Amino acid sequence: MPSGPLDPRHAVVVGAGPGLGAAVARRFAREGFALTLVARTPQTLDPLAAELRAGGVAVTTVIADAADPVGFRAALLEVADRVTPAVVVYNVGLVAADDLLEASAEYLLDALAVDVVGAVTTAQVLTPGMRAAGAGTFLVTGGGPGLVPDPAHASLTLGKSALRAAVTVLHEQLAPAHVHVGSVTVVGVIAPGTSLDPDRIAEHYWRLHSEPEGAWTVDVVVDGS
């Protein structure tokens, strides 16, 4: 059940590691948001949380692994019991070179848990409060293999393709409740100082959240080629 009224200045960033997740967290922090940061390890979370807190940002950290569906859902339910966020960002993906003809079923299931099932679980747990409030933004990070299949990254291709479809479905389901669902699809390798600099990409998440209802974008493609 939703924890209470929607907090218009609270964002949850799932996958708040170094790179894009950190950049997204910093971008919302600059707009005065308190943050709940979710990642697999304290080693990932603690430096970012310390940096943000030093700048006066209210930060809560949560350890959760999307590869563990049961534990992941339990951790998110604790978040939902504490806050109804205005913004949720799912920025998680398993980027690995693999072969569809050689990958085991167990490996593919684990990859799909991270790439797409975790995003759906996050929506299931954290958007009910948004629906009750009649407002909110749910964003995910897509990838180039979701647009053009990449045989060298087979599991990521399956995951990002399924994630793209999930975003379309979730948008259709949640838009009538005034909840904006969208994705930022990054084509290429994210790296500071390039056209796919994390800070530049993070700006798209803020723009999607800022779009007025009636002019909502479902997917923004950021192509570094």
Side-chain angles (χ1 to χ4, degrees), residues 186-200:
V186 182
V187 182
V189 178
I190 299 172
T194 71
S195 59
L196 294 181
D197 184 285
D199 290 336
R200 294 180 64 177

Side-chain angles (χ1 to χ4, degrees), residues 71-82:
F72 186 67
R73 179 179 287 272
L76 292 180
L77 284 169
E78 292 184 5
V79 173
D81 285 342
R82 178 176 53 81

Side-chain angles (χ1 to χ4, degrees), residues 92-93 115-116 141-146 155-165:
V92 183
D115 291 334
V116 62
T141 302
S155 66
L156 190 65
T157 293
L158 296 180
K160 293 302 186 183
S161 298
L163 182 62
R164 188 174 179 81

Side-chain angles (χ1 to χ4, degrees), residues 19-121:
L20 182 56
V24 171
R26 294 185 189 107
R27 183 64 186 88
F28 280 87
R30 289 204 304 273
E31 300 296 334
F33 277 66
L35 296 166
T36 296
L37 306 179
V38 183
R40 290 187 301 120
T41 67
Q43 291 79 9
T44 296
L45 284 174
D46 291 348
L48 176 60
E51 171 199 325
L52 292 168
R53 287 170 180 150
V57 181
V59 179
T60 300
T61 59
V62 177
I63 304 299
D65 186 353
D68 171 18
V70 174
F72 186 67
R73 179 179 287 272
L76 292 180
L77 284 169
E78 292 184 5
V79 173
D81 285 342
R82 178 176 53 81
V83 65
T84 300
V87 181
V88 175
V89 176
Y90 187 84
N91 174 60
V92 183
L94 179 63
V95 181
D98 47 30
D99 187 316
L100 197 59
L101 292 174
E102 296 179 358
S104 69
E106 291 78 11
Y107 173 83
L108 291 173
L109 287 170
D110 285 345
L112 288 171
V114 172
D115 291 334
V116 62
V117 177
V120 174
T121 298

Side-chain angles (χ1 to χ4, degrees), residues 121-132:
T121 298
T122 303
Q124 290 174 343
V125 174
L126 294 178
T127 64
M130 295 180 181
R131 283 180 280 168

